[in-house]
């Protein structure tokens, strides 16, 4: 059995019902919108985010979920999908998970409007049901994700990025959404409990490990759907490169910065940078940091009694850093 299927096992029933509710939550009177949302739903990814919502909810409540849990999972997936649609416009990307992106098929204007529509659908789903505590969690995540993206763009222009700034970027850009999933799961069942903050922290730590793993893929040849060195081409400063930059001699530092700033479109030069970062221990350093986040996340689960949901969450934490794509 594939790892993702194994993780899903204790929430299979909930995930099936969720898919139906999620599909319904996207419906519109506009035929064009329905055609696009149908396209989105049929090209779904692994659905890790709703899985976090249900697994956390069931772990903190001895196997209970309620309508709020389903709404929380739908909202997070609507907002996540909206950000992906907008990301593809921002990045001028024509592919998403091996399929054509919305902007490639329907152009940028429609893609931006579809992203806005999904975002508003998510917010209204919470408002119409009085889930203001869940709405606050989600709204904070959306704000932080936007700030993280903008901080990364600002720093890419100047390439003056420290390790602390990098952690702040990935915390906002990636970890905050997974943190929101986990706190939503706890909050849907046990509002105002200590578990809500504990699970937010748990999700944040997994998100940090997840993003470092993603950044490591940029230095490895493998079946991950993106060629090596793409972050360097896009002038994105990730942990392996930051670590090597901070520990390089004056001449090496100058060469690295010059490569990223002025020669980032030169394939040969980019591969030289990739090789240099590997040789100087950038990957090993990033892997060590990733494992620290993983262990901290697992430690936060240790106080919960044994259950299939806890087992699945532990499996998820390990999957995040062991995945091949």
């Amino acid at each position: 059995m594939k790892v993702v299927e194994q993780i899903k096992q204790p929430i299979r029933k909930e995930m099936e019902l969720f898919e139906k509710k999620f599909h319904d939550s996207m419906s519109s009177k506009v035929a064009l919108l329905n055609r696009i949302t149908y396209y989105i739903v049929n090209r779904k990814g692994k659905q890790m985010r709703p899985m976090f919502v249900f697994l956390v909810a069931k772990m903190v409540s001895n196997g209970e979920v309620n309508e709020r849990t389903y709404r929380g999972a739908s909202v997070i997936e609507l907002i996540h999908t909206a950000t992906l649609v907008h990301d593809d416009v921002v990045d001028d990307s024509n592919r998403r998970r091996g399929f054509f992106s919305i902007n490639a098929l329907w152009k940028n204007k429609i893609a931006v409007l579809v992203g806005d529509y999904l975002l508003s659908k998510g917010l209204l789903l919470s408002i119409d049901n009085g889930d203001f505590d869940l709405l606050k969690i989600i709204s904070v995540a959306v704000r932080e994700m936007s700030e993280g993206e903008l901080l990364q763009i600002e720093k890419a222009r100047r390439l003056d990025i420290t390790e602390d700034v990098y952690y702040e970027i990935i915390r906002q850009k990636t970890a905050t959404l997974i943190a929101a999933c986990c706190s939503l799961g706890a909050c849907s069942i046990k509002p105002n409990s200590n578990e809500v903050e504990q699970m937010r922290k748990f999700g944040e730590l997994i998100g940090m490990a997840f993003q470092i793993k993603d950044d490591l893929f940029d230095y490895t040849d493998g079946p991950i759907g993106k060629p090596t060195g793409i972050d360097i081409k896009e002038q994105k400063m990730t942990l392996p490169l930051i670590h090597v930059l901070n520990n390089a001699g004056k001449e090496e530092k100058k060469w690295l910065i010059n490569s990223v700033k002025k020669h980032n479109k030169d394939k040969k030069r980019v591969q030289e940078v990739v090789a240099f970062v590997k040789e100087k221990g950038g990957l090993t350093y990033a892997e060590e940091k990733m494992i620290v986040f993983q262990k901290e996340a697992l430690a936060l689960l240790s106080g919960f009694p044994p259950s299939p949901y806890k087992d699945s969450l532990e499996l998820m934490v390990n999957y995040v850093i062991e995945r091949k794509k």
Side-chain angles (χ1 to χ4, degrees), residues 93-108:
S93 173
N94 290 323
R95 311 289 281 184
R96 166 71 61 184
R97 296 180 186 131
F99 296 98
F100 282 114
S101 59
I102 303 301
N103 49 304
L105 291 172
W106 285 280
K107 303 292 175 248
N108 281 353

Side-chain angles (χ1 to χ4, degrees), residues 215-221 224 226-236 264-267 270-271 273-274:
D215 293 344
L216 281 163
F217 282 141
D218 202 48
Y219 291 88
T220 48
D221 297 301
I224 54 150
K226 74 170 191 175
T228 53
I230 211 128
D231 288 339
I232 297 164
K233 286 180 190 125
E234 290 174 4
Q235 296 183 322
K236 281 182 188 163
N264 57 317
K265 299 285 186 272
D266 177 343
K267 272 189 185 162
V270 168
Q271 288 313 312
V273 173
V274 168

Side-chain angles (χ1 to χ4, degrees), residues 175-189:
T176 193
L177 192 65
I178 299 175
C181 297
C182 296
S183 56
L184 272 178
C187 190
S188 71
I189 297 276

Side-chain angles (χ1 to χ4, degrees), residues 125-178:
L125 185 59
S126 297
I127 291 165
D128 291 346
N129 290 284
D131 298 329
F132 297 110
D133 50 351
L134 305 186
L135 182 60
K136 185 172 183 188
I137 291 170
I138 290 147
S139 301
V140 168
V142 173
R143 184 198 71 206
E144 294 210 318
M145 284 156 69
S146 312
E147 283 180 350
E149 286 287 354
L150 287 163
L151 179 60
Q152 185 170 49
I153 291 166
E154 178 195 336
K155 293 297 174 185
R157 284 183 179 154
R158 298 206 299 267
L159 301 187
D160 61 341
I161 186 164
T162 61
E163 206 170 303
D164 285 345
V165 170
Y166 166 78
Y167 290 135
E168 186 53 20
I169 289 170
I170 68 167
R171 186 191 69 75
Q172 291 187 314
K173 216 182 77 154
T174 304
T176 193
L177 192 65
I178 299 175

Side-chain angles (χ1 to χ4, degrees), residues 116-127:
D116 291 347
Y117 172 78
L118 295 171
L119 187 65
S120 63
K121 275 294 229 186
L123 301 177
L124 283 167
L125 185 59
S126 297
I127 291 165

